[in-house]
Amino acid sequence: MKELEIIISKVKESLSAKEDEVAGAVSVNTYVHSTLENRKLEVALFENSAKQVTTDPTQKSTILANFERDAKALINEINKIEV
């Protein structure tokens, strides 16, 4: 579904921006690196789960709503990482 690709793209952009922020920081502790690695794994799992989704048109709106909700939660967790 094209809509899922857009949602995943937003999550990946958020992660990429945070990676750039961490990479450009003068001093970053191991907790930040560990947390960022955990978010990378979660993004990969989130992306993989989109590949497992049914394309049943009767469930499309529910699937998109669930992915949108989960994407917002994941982006919030990424943004919580303080550099």
Side-chain angles (χ1 to χ4, degrees), residues 25-75:
V26 176
S27 173
V28 179
N29 63 32
T30 56
Y31 175 77
V32 170
H33 285 290
S34 175
T35 305
L36 185 60
E37 288 301 316
N38 289 341
R39 297 299 91 82
K40 285 181 188 179
L41 179 60
E42 289 173 0
V43 169
L45 292 171
F46 183 75
E47 183 177 15
N48 190 43
S49 68
K51 296 174 185 173
Q52 311 294 328
V53 170
T54 180
T55 55
D56 183 357
T58 61
Q59 296 180 11
K60 184 176 181 178
S61 62
T62 303
I63 291 168
L64 290 176
N66 288 340
F67 267 87
E68 190 68 45
R69 182 198 64 224
D70 293 344
K72 285 180 184 179
L74 188 51
I75 289 171

